[in-house]
Amino acid sequence: MREDMIQITKEMVKIPSINTTEGEKKIGEYIENFIREIPYFKKHPEQVIVRELKNDSLHRRNVIAILLGEKEPNGKTLLFHGHTDTVGLEGYGALENYACDPEQLIQRLEDVELPEEVRKDLRSGDYMFGRGTCDMKDGDAVFLGILKDACEHPEELSGNIVVSFNPVEENLHTGIIEATDILVELKEKYHLSYILGINNDYICPLYPGDEVKTIYIGMVGKLLPCFYIQGKETHVGQCFEGLDASMIAAELVRRIHLNHDFIDEYEGEYTYPPSVLKMKDLKPWYNVQTTGEALVYFNYFVHNATIDAITGKLKKAAEEVMETILERTRREIEWFSAKSGNNISVRDYKCKVMTYEELYEKVRKIKGFSEEEMHRRMEEEVRSGVDKREVPIAMIRYLLHTAGITSPTIVMYYAAPYCPHNTLQEKSEKLIGELRKLTDEMSAEYNVTYRIMRFYPSLSDSSYLNIDDPEESVEALVKNFPGFDTLYPLPLQNIRKLAIPAVNFGGFGKDAHKWTERVNVPYTFELLPKLLQKTIDHYLK
């Protein structure tokens, strides 16, 4: 199958399926056509399910197929799933026209200045370069090759294989989220019991020179905590008479960005700290008035902490930020007053820090509050194309206005996307033992070494196959997520019905999302298929 998988990868890379472009539809069509050409699915066309995403102007689609084992029909099922979109071609520069053509790109790279490690990999002949070669068309190609091979002998399978190819992973995970409808339908129609969900998203060295292959038995969670800041604007000629929202935003970044106080640990594995993803003032044009409003939001990784505990930590940090800003402002006013002889008074702004839930509950009891008006404003923002992360600002403004809150205020809320953390915990020790047995067999038979880690460090569609968060923790998210049902209607019921233990095998590559993206051919197209075949043999034969 090696050459077939390499060829499939090249063909898929040549389809630029960049996130939020028409290429995402085309890659889905390619995969659908490939599966429908397999003789088994010509005989069972109803077992290929293709479904367009809801209200999607690009007509992107999920492509899902089920192979029903015939040796001893039963519900035992392995799910193989992968995403079909890629990030853009930024960074390729003059090589952009070749970024999706591995054969031409590798020739052009010979004439380009390259880092030493990249040059070494290029000359080794062991790597295929190009956008999507590593993340993750190689993994999709391996799944297609494995599926085609398994379809030749369904009579050998005592159980079933479901493959799911999903768009829109690189931003909102819409593909896999909507695919949960289909996975639940298949579960109910064929009485499936999903043993394991295997993603083939890329794996990479954990440090320079690392050749050990990592199997991940869980997925990191992700939150997007946002802070809307209402300041007190003033003319720059009376700068001490206000409180600048941008200054508060900057202090929030200083307090939270890369701060180990917000790292989450589970079983000796640590998340990366929060990273700021956006900081902006909300002034629509230039004038000499200080900033009255600002917004800042962060990527926040989670291993096991509950959302209410995280919310409490972030709110406390915001309270400390407000105290820091007020103290700094007081010191500057005192210094300036002493030097200039102007007797400038320090104002008591009666600053507030609250969560969205706290603000909503406060306003809900006020006469004149209208749930319909608040949602009308949200829907108006959605129709006008405002970014999903910023739509809640209109709702928060309405609540603050209704409550008559005009003092400087920080309101913390959550926005899309939310990726649940999902790992094989103590209850899955048997499954972990079986995976160790499979990797030990691979190490004994082939020149390959594996490590098993709990959390895939990048965001993954596998997060939507199971939720480790208890219901009260998810409820804490929903209450602080303005417009959750409209802006990010996550099918929580579907995910809890599926409850699929999720792992990541993956092709081995380097520099995902960079212009030097590349996949290691010997491991990905020779050893990874053997690991997947062993997994099929163990569970379904």
Side-chain angles (χ1 to χ4, degrees), residues 473-514:
S473 179
V474 178
E475 185 64 21
L477 170 80
V478 173
K479 286 181 177 177
N480 282 299
F481 194 128
F484 180 83
D485 291 337
T486 300
L487 298 175
Y488 204 61
L490 201 60
L492 298 172
Q493 187 176 0
N494 275 356
I495 297 171
R496 294 200 187 279
K497 270 185 188 176
L498 291 171
I500 304 173
V503 301
N504 192 89
F505 286 2
F508 184 69
K510 298 178 182 178
D511 292 353
H513 292 205
K514 301 178 184 177

Side-chain angles (χ1 to χ4, degrees), residues 406-447:
T406 59
S407 58
T409 304
I410 299 174
V411 180
M412 187 209 142
Y413 65 95
Y414 291 108
Y418 157 58
C419 304
H421 57 83
N422 174 10
T423 190
L424 305 186
Q425 298 181 345
E426 290 76 12
K427 61 187 177 183
S428 303
E429 286 302 321
K430 180 176 181 291
L431 206 50
I432 296 171
E434 291 169 340
L435 290 169
R436 288 191 189 280
K437 179 176 180 292
L438 293 173
T439 55
D440 286 348
E441 287 178 9
M442 287 291 296
S443 297
E445 295 174 27
Y446 307 101
N447 184 27

Side-chain angles (χ1 to χ4, degrees), residues 232-243 288 290 344 347 349:
K232 179 65 71 176
E233 68 276 9
T234 184
H235 192 287
V236 293
Q238 292 86 42
C239 55
F240 289 125
E241 296 180 13
L243 201 63
V288 291
T290 60
I344 302 173
R347 295 170 182 264
Y349 289 107

